[in-house]
Amino acid sequence: MTTIEIEYCVPCGFLERAERIQHALLEQFGDGLDRVALVTGDHGVLTVAVDGTVVWDKAEDDYDVDAIVRRVREAI
């Protein structure tokens, strides 16, 4: 099974964005995933990793939940 980690910057207030991503991934892939974990971070981080491999990073990509779901789909 697949593990997804969403690391988000607490001081930046990215919790809501991380929760939106988590919700979309659970709706789309719910029973096929072991875990969709929120991981606290700082320094502006907002990343999505599938089994330890970062598939989306706010520093490099636009925030688009649908695009993130597509990236995760490709990874799993």
Side-chain angles (χ1 to χ4, degrees):
M1 297 276 276
T2 303
T3 297
I4 297 174
E5 290 188 343
I6 304 164
E7 185 176 6
Y8 68 97
C9 179
V10 174
C12 298
F14 289 162
L15 176 59
E16 284 186 35
R17 289 182 181 191
E19 288 175 331
R20 279 188 222 118
I21 296 167
Q22 182 185 44
H23 183 77
L25 294 174
L26 287 169
E27 276 191 337
Q28 193 70 220
F29 310 111
D31 59 350
L33 303 173
D34 278 331
R35 171 175 60 147
V36 180
L38 297 178
V39 179
T40 58
D42 54 14
H43 302 296
V45 69
L46 183 58
T47 61
V48 178
V50 177
D51 293 328
T53 301
V54 175
V55 298
W56 181 85
D57 186 336
K58 178 189 76 58
E60 300 169 8
D61 305 298
D62 292 332
Y63 175 75
D64 178 347
V65 175
D66 292 333
I68 296 167
V69 170
R70 285 192 297 276
R71 294 254 184 111
V72 169
R73 179 178 292 114
E74 293 168 5
I76 59 175

